[in-house]
Amino acid sequence: MKLPRYKRDSLVSYTLGATLTYELIKTAPEQITRIFLRPDIEIGHDLSRIISEAKRLKLDIIESQKPFNVLNAKGDCLMIAEFNKHSSELNHREPHVVLVNPSDAGNLGTIMRSAVAFGFKNIAIITPAVDFYAPKTIRASMGAIFHLNVQEFSSIDEYRQQNPERPLYAFMLNSTAQHLAEAAQSAPDNYSLIFGNEAAGLPANYADFCQSVFIPQSQYVDSLNLSIATSIALYSFRQI
Amino acid sequence: MKLPRYKRDSLVSYTLGATLTYELIKTAPEQITRIFLRPDIEIGHDLSRIISEAKRLKLDIIESQKPFNVLNAKGDCLMIAEFNKHSSELNHREPHVVLVNPSDAGNLGTIMRSAVAFGFKNIAIITPAVDFYAPKTIRASMGAIFHLNVQEFSSIDEYRQQNPERPLYAFMLNSTAQHLAEAAQSAPDNYSLIFGNEAAGLPANYADFCQSVFIPQSQYVDSLNLSIATSIALYSFRQI
């Protein structure tokens, strides 16, 4: 069985875990190329249900330890799906979440989970950025990634050219920043919420073409964690 | 130099990093027993400023690689403060955040950071729980822990006996749960916000003595990450 290590330019990626795999089976079974099952385990009720569903969909199930070793899947990972990466485009008539140079797979996955929780379906990523299809990102998203359109852009200008005439809200501190609660209350449709990199935040010039927004916070912390700040913003602007 | 590995019952703990150490120097220098500095590094502007401040306060500064090895401090950690753990009691006249059996150091630290950001100064932890003074928790808190009263209780009953007559809000789904926005709007003073364990949530019987509260979310996610859910709740109930 041929199974190279996962790389960013691989055409396939992997769900490391039974729950994640089940999420993919329910959401986009047509993307699945094969399913790997650890050979040495006792099959309990939950796993048995997932296997039945995979068999019903005529998915290829292979018992083998090797993929678990190659993909460095930890002891509690009993099942892996290999699936074709799928390119998707943003829906122009819906709100967008725009992440500028996100660098941490855990943060990106957590933001995806919050986005889906609060009814957002479109995420733009401005590169350079962490690989949104990396198994670690998928795992942190708890499968939320399968409910999202995710599209990469090489710059914010490219994003703006392809997505014109949208109100843009940039989360950053400056003298004209609006309180999150006010911004959320007065938002029209089809807006974009823009968040900077974990360490650097957003460049100051974003204020030239965006309404800047701040999350009120005490002087005793430097900042909020990126996935926390983003989730609070998505909750406030929620679409559900 | 005697330096055992950190354990939960150690009388001292450690700040792994220069920024964290500076936060402790500014907040509670009297707790610091000594400061360790990596011997092999070039001292830049920021580090030099921290060292000056430590010298001004007559803190003991020791150049040695050993503590960095013993404490498994990564390559970018240039400075460590050893400090006496400090027991603190909750303020009865202020709101409390109550965490029931939190199990992840990263989540606990992130919740501390959000608590301080939104003006909460008191955290109750119901044991068994992750060690709130572990270096990993302190690091995830980005120093926020030094601005908090943190007190452990062996059960929710013990917490309630020592903190009677407080409105209790339990974050859980049940048929009588109130929407977060409504609960936050109508909250009186001196309330307690109660959050369950990452995997298990809160036991159903909490609804017998608490107002249950839910965070609205789509059917496409199972739940929010604990630190995300807690931070959204703290933002909504914020004291700033």
Side-chain angles (χ1 to χ4, degrees):
Chain A
M1 181 174 51
K2 215 178 123 186
L3 193 81
R5 280 188 186 286
Y6 176 80
K7 285 188 201 145
R8 189 169 189 140
D9 61 1
S10 302
L11 296 174
V12 294
S13 185
Y14 303 90
T15 55
L16 306 185
T19 310
L20 265 185
T21 299
Y22 189 46
E23 196 63 30
L24 179 59
I25 290 174
K26 285 190 298 179
T27 320
E30 71 285 357
Q31 283 180 244
I32 298 176
T33 49
R34 44 189 179 171
I35 289 176
F36 303 114
L37 195 60
R38 278 247 306 260
D40 57 335
I41 51 157
E42 210 173 304
I43 300 205
H45 176 262
D46 286 351
L47 208 53
S48 153
R49 203 182 45 158
I50 301 172
I51 293 169
S52 299
E53 183 61 14
K55 282 185 176 159
R56 199 182 63 79
L57 293 164
K58 301 199 180 351
L59 295 169
D60 193 13
I61 303 177
I62 300 165
E63 284 197 32
S64 167
Q65 180 63 36
K66 194 180 155 193
F68 295 84
N69 300 343
V70 171
L71 295 166
N72 198 17
K74 285 182 197 154
D76 60 346
C77 175
L78 307 180
M79 191 184 245
I80 295 174
E82 179 189 71
F83 65 96
N84 288 314
K85 292 182 183 177
H86 166 77
S87 74
S88 51
E89 294 205 348
L90 305 183
N91 185 326
H92 294 266
R93 287 190 292 253
E94 293 177 344
H96 297 172
V97 180
V98 181
L99 304 174
V100 179
N101 311 137
S103 66
D104 182 89
N107 273 342
L108 178 54
T110 303
I111 290 169
M112 288 175 168
R113 190 173 164 193
S114 294
V116 173
F118 300 128
F120 291 85
K121 293 174 192 151
N122 302 277
I123 295 190
I125 296 177
I126 312 300
T127 57
V130 66
D131 176 9
F132 72 84
Y133 255 139
K136 194 178 166 187
T137 315
I138 293 170
R139 199 177 166 97
S141 89
M142 304 280 276
I145 189 172
F146 305 125
H147 296 279
L148 290 166
N149 302 318
V150 185
Q151 192 179 352
E152 285 185 341
F153 299 87
S154 64
S155 69
I156 190 72
D157 291 339
E158 194 199 6
Y159 169 77
R160 290 173 67 201
Q161 274 157 25
Q162 294 185 33
N163 298 276
E165 293 171 40
R166 301 175 63 87
L168 307 175
Y169 294 94
F171 285 76
M172 58 196 291
L173 275 179
N174 72 351
S175 59
T176 58
Q178 195 176 15
H179 190 295
L180 169 58
E182 280 174 43
Q185 221 158 27
S186 59
D189 293 341
N190 302 358
Y191 55 83
S192 303
L193 305 178
I194 307 178
F195 302 90
N197 164 272
E198 285 86 350
L202 287 175
N205 75 320
Y206 274 58
D208 300 342
F209 54 87
C210 302
Q211 169 63 53
S212 49
V213 181
F214 72 96
I215 302 176
Q217 55 198 271
S218 86
Q219 57 177 306
Y220 300 111
V221 292
D222 233 32
S223 65
L224 293 163
N225 168 293
L226 175 64
S227 67
I228 298 285
T230 304
S231 298
I232 289 173
L234 299 186
Y235 168 73
S236 298
F237 276 86
R238 67 191 173 274
Q239 300 295 306
I240 55 164
Chain B
M1 183 172 52
K2 215 178 126 188
L3 193 80
R5 281 190 185 285
Y6 176 80
K7 284 187 204 148
R8 190 172 187 135
D9 61 2
S10 301
L11 296 175
V12 294
S13 185
Y14 302 91
T15 56
L16 306 184
T19 311
L20 265 185
T21 299
Y22 189 46
E23 196 62 31
L24 180 57
I25 290 174
K26 285 189 298 180
T27 320
E30 70 285 357
Q31 282 179 248
I32 298 177
T33 48
R34 46 192 176 167
I35 289 176
F36 303 112
L37 195 61
R38 278 247 305 260
D40 57 335
I41 51 157
E42 210 174 304
I43 300 205
H45 177 263
D46 286 351
L47 208 55
S48 154
R49 203 182 46 160
I50 302 173
I51 294 171
S52 299
E53 183 62 13
K55 282 185 177 158
R56 198 181 66 76
L57 293 165
K58 302 199 181 348
L59 295 170
D60 193 14
I61 304 177
I62 299 165
E63 285 197 31
S64 166
Q65 179 63 38
K66 195 180 155 194
F68 295 84
N69 300 343
V70 171
L71 295 166
N72 199 16
K74 286 181 195 153
D76 60 345
C77 175
L78 307 181
M79 192 185 244
I80 294 175
E82 179 189 73
F83 65 95
N84 288 314
K85 292 183 183 177
H86 167 78
S87 75
S88 51
E89 295 207 347
L90 306 183
N91 184 326
H92 294 266
R93 287 189 292 252
E94 293 176 344
H96 297 173
V97 180
V98 181
L99 303 174
V100 179
N101 311 137
S103 67
D104 181 88
N107 273 343
L108 179 53
T110 303
I111 290 169
M112 288 175 169
R113 190 173 163 192
S114 294
V116 172
F118 299 129
F120 291 85
K121 294 176 193 149
N122 302 277
I123 294 189
I125 296 177
I126 312 300
T127 59
V130 67
D131 176 9
F132 71 86
Y133 255 139
K136 194 179 165 187
T137 315
I138 293 170
R139 198 176 167 98
S141 88
M142 303 279 276
I145 189 173
F146 305 126
H147 296 279
L148 290 166
N149 302 317
V150 185
Q151 191 179 352
E152 285 186 340
F153 298 87
S154 64
S155 68
I156 190 73
D157 291 338
E158 194 200 6
Y159 169 77
R160 290 174 65 202
Q161 276 157 22
Q162 293 184 35
N163 298 274
E165 292 171 41
R166 302 174 63 87
L168 307 175
Y169 294 94
F171 284 76
M172 59 194 293
L173 276 180
N174 73 351
S175 60
T176 58
Q178 195 176 15
H179 190 295
L180 169 58
E182 279 174 43
Q185 221 159 27
S186 59
D189 294 341
N190 303 355
Y191 55 83
S192 303
L193 306 179
I194 307 178
F195 303 89
N197 165 273
E198 284 86 350
L202 287 175
N205 75 322
Y206 273 59
D208 300 341
F209 54 87
C210 301
Q211 169 62 53
S212 48
V213 181
F214 73 96
I215 301 176
Q217 55 198 272
S218 86
Q219 58 176 306
Y220 300 110
V221 292
D222 232 33
S223 65
L224 293 163
N225 168 292
L226 175 64
S227 66
I228 298 285
T230 304
S231 298
I232 288 172
L234 298 186
Y235 168 73
S236 298
F237 277 86
R238 67 191 173 276
Q239 299 296 305
I240 54 164

